[in-house]
Amino acid sequence: MDRAINNNKQKSHNRKRYIKAGLAGCAIGVFVLVFTWSKLTSAGGKTYNLAKNNLMLSQVKQQAFAEYLPVRAVVEPEKTIFIDAIDGGRVEQVYLQEGALVEKDQPILKLSNTGLQLTVLAREAEVSEQINNMRNTRLALEQNQLSLKRDVIELDFEVQKLEKRFARSKRLVKQKLISEQEFEEIKDELAYQKRYRETVRQSQEKEALLQEQQLAQLSQSIKTLENNLAISQMSLDKLIIRAPVSGQLTFLDAQVGESKRDGQRLGQVDLLSTFKVSARIDEFYVSRIAAGQEAEFSLNGQRHQLTVAKVYPGIDNGTFKVDFTLANANSREQLRLGQSLQAKLNLSASENKLQISNGAFMQTTGGNWVFVVSADGSRAEKRQVRLGRRNPQSVEVLEGLAPGESVITSSYASFADAEQVQLTN
């Protein structure tokens, strides 16, 4: 019995020893696996398996590169004439609608202004009264001048009679037919009439000169008043709004019964003979765009050249306006007002540069690294690079890539933490 008990104890002891040895072995295996995994991770990083047909690949090429900006442009009139209400009023009638073709001086709408009409009538009456007063004054001056002339004529006649009487009296006094006293009285009266006539004549000359100046001033005043009256009457005529030039009425803000203030904008007329191309560009490029830069757009399979004519200084909602001129007349003939164009604005001259296709990878890497595909196409590894300028199609390569190499240019969002990827068909 004692031996049987000893055998059982021995078997139990051996079983425990085997279990401990197994546990120790498992622990060592787990440790080795963890150590190996950590070494692999620290040495090679994560690896992803990706299908090639889900990726976009671009080959590094040496070819012409130009930095350009895609802009959406619109054909606009080169000259626009605005229509304002010189004197406000109530809209009585609208003769034309937006989009109508107009000829110069063609009526567009009619305003009514009762206050202006009463003011003009009152001014007409006032001006007419002043003109009548001035004409009466002019008539009085002319009559006074005639009166002075008549006085001089009468004095000439009187002197003439006295001279004849004096001549007769001189003969008679020698013959002692009249007294010396009577002769001296005739002589003194003749001298008096001559002096008086000379005084009246000088007064007449001065009065005539003064009247001539007054009449010239009156004539000028009458002319000024008549011009003022004509201007007042023209203000009534301007209540009928007319087209300033021939063209297209592209804007009209007037409804029957609506009141308009003095100087308020009513509409605009665009000249159809000449037009320009305009675009709004992000303010980020304001320092890189100047007059003289070139752009181009395609229309009906043909390329057309544009030139920056004017860069507007104001910034509106983060954009600024640029005007382009068309290089040749053939381009103008194919365009219509309001037409939209997709143009390319060149920011640099064309140069022979190493480049890859632009893609979504730039959003993840910022141009600091890329996945370069191996020569056999089985895998792609992360590589540090330096990229430069870019346009919507290409990115300039400065360092890290060689011509002929292939790069993944699609998004890296799902495998950005990998060091390499395995590519499968």
Side-chain angles (χ1 to χ4, degrees):
M1 293 294 294
D2 292 338
R3 290 181 66 185
I5 294 173
N6 288 338
N7 288 337
N8 291 335
K9 288 182 178 180
Q10 185 65 34
K11 291 179 180 179
S12 177
H13 176 73
N14 291 338
R15 191 181 297 113
K16 290 180 179 179
R17 185 175 62 182
Y18 295 150
I19 291 173
K20 289 180 180 180
L23 292 174
C26 290
I28 292 172
V30 171
F31 174 77
V32 171
L33 289 174
V34 171
F35 179 77
T36 303
W37 178 82
S38 63
K39 286 292 184 180
L40 290 173
T41 302
S42 61
K46 292 183 179 180
T47 301
Y48 287 84
N49 292 324
L50 301 175
K52 280 186 179 181
N53 56 3
N54 293 331
L55 302 174
M56 293 185 64
L57 304 181
S58 171
Q59 189 175 15
V60 182
K61 296 179 181 180
Q62 186 85 24
Q63 59 184 14
F65 176 85
E67 190 178 7
Y68 67 87
L69 180 67
V71 295
R72 187 170 184 81
V74 178
V75 180
E76 296 181 350
E78 187 173 359
K79 292 184 180 180
T80 297
I81 309 299
F82 295 103
I83 304 172
D84 297 336
I86 298 177
D87 295 300
R90 181 178 177 273
V91 179
E92 287 289 333
Q93 191 172 358
V94 178
Y95 302 113
L96 300 173
Q97 298 298 326
E98 288 185 359
L101 298 178
V102 297
E103 297 293 334
K104 185 178 180 181
D105 295 329
Q106 182 178 353
I108 296 176
L109 58 92
K110 180 180 179 181
L111 301 175
S112 65
N113 189 327
T114 304
L116 179 62
Q117 291 172 338
L118 293 176
T119 301
V120 171
L121 290 175
R123 188 173 298 174
E124 287 179 350
E126 180 182 354
V127 170
S128 298
E129 183 179 359
Q130 291 179 354
I131 291 175
N132 290 333
N133 292 336
M134 289 181 180
R135 286 174 177 168
N136 292 333
T137 303
R138 180 175 181 172
L139 181 61
L141 291 174
E142 291 175 348
Q143 289 176 348
N144 186 34
Q145 191 173 9
L146 292 174
S147 177
L148 289 174
K149 288 181 179 180
R150 185 170 56 250
D151 292 342
V152 171
I153 292 173
E154 290 178 355
L155 287 172
D156 287 340
F157 178 69
E158 189 67 26
V159 168
Q160 185 179 7
K161 289 192 302 181
L162 287 173
E163 286 178 341
K164 291 179 180 180
R165 184 179 175 187
F166 175 76
R168 288 193 300 269
S169 299
K170 189 176 182 180
R171 291 192 302 268
L172 293 174
V173 75
K174 289 180 180 181
Q175 296 174 4
K176 304 295 183 176
L177 297 175
I178 60 173
S179 63
E180 290 287 339
Q181 181 181 0
E182 185 178 355
F183 175 73
E184 290 178 355
E185 288 178 353
I186 294 173
K187 181 180 178 180
D188 292 340
E189 185 176 0
L190 177 60
Y192 167 74
Q193 289 294 342
K194 285 183 176 181
R195 290 196 300 272
Y196 181 66
R197 184 185 65 177
E198 185 63 25
T199 301
V200 172
R201 184 171 292 170
Q202 292 177 356
S203 176
Q204 181 195 21
E205 292 176 353
K206 292 181 180 179
E207 187 73 20
L209 180 61
L210 180 62
Q211 287 180 0
E212 185 178 355
Q213 294 175 352
Q214 289 179 335
L215 289 174
Q217 293 176 352
L218 286 174
S219 297
Q220 184 62 37
S221 298
I222 291 174
K223 185 176 180 180
T224 302
L225 289 173
E226 289 175 343
N227 290 336
N228 292 338
L229 181 58
I231 293 173
S232 299
Q233 293 172 342
M234 286 175 59
S235 63
L236 288 179
D237 295 337
K238 290 180 179 179
L239 290 176
I240 298 178
I241 308 300
R242 302 177 183 273
V245 293
S246 298
Q248 185 175 20
L249 183 65
T250 56
F251 169 72
L252 181 62
D253 181 17
Q255 300 293 331
V256 175
E258 187 179 8
S259 295
K260 298 295 182 181
R261 305 184 306 274
D262 295 352
Q264 185 172 351
R265 179 65 45 82
L266 298 177
Q268 70 180 47
V269 176
D270 295 336
L271 276 67
L272 300 178
S273 57
T274 58
F275 44 82
K276 61 185 179 181
V277 177
S278 298
R280 301 204 67 88
I281 300 175
D282 193 280
E283 61 181 335
F284 176 79
Y285 298 95
V286 69
S287 61
R288 302 194 60 188
I289 297 176
Q293 286 180 260
E294 295 183 351
E296 65 177 23
F297 66 93
S298 296
L299 183 65
N300 299 327
Q302 297 180 351
R303 288 188 176 183
H304 303 270
Q305 298 297 319
L306 298 171
T307 303
V308 176
K310 182 178 181 181
V311 179
Y312 292 82
I315 303 295
D316 185 17
N317 293 327
T319 62
F320 63 97
K321 187 178 180 180
V322 176
D323 284 347
F324 302 88
T325 56
L326 294 160
N328 54 67
N330 292 332
S331 299
R332 296 189 184 94
E333 294 176 357
Q334 298 184 37
L335 298 179
R336 296 293 181 269
L337 288 177
Q339 184 177 357
S340 296
L341 304 172
Q342 191 64 39
K344 294 180 180 179
L345 175 58
N346 295 325
L347 301 179
S348 67
S350 180
E351 302 174 273
N352 192 26
K353 293 291 184 180
L354 197 63
Q355 56 190 283
I356 58 175
S357 298
N358 197 354
F361 74 99
M362 293 290 294
Q363 299 177 1
T364 304
T365 70
N368 297 317
W369 56 272
V370 295
F371 279 105
V372 182
V373 180
S374 62
D376 59 3
S378 61
R379 67 182 185 282
E381 295 181 350
K382 182 183 292 185
R383 183 188 299 178
Q384 296 297 320
V385 296
R386 189 162 69 91
L387 304 181
R389 299 170 299 171
R390 56 175 169 167
N391 59 41
Q393 294 180 343
S394 303
V395 182
E396 182 184 13
V397 177
L398 301 178
E399 291 180 3
L401 295 173
E405 289 188 306
S406 185
V407 176
I408 300 176
T409 55
S410 53
S411 176
Y412 293 174
S414 61
F415 55 96
D417 56 342
E419 289 296 325
Q420 66 176 359
V421 294
Q422 295 293 330
L423 303 177
T424 60
N425 294 324

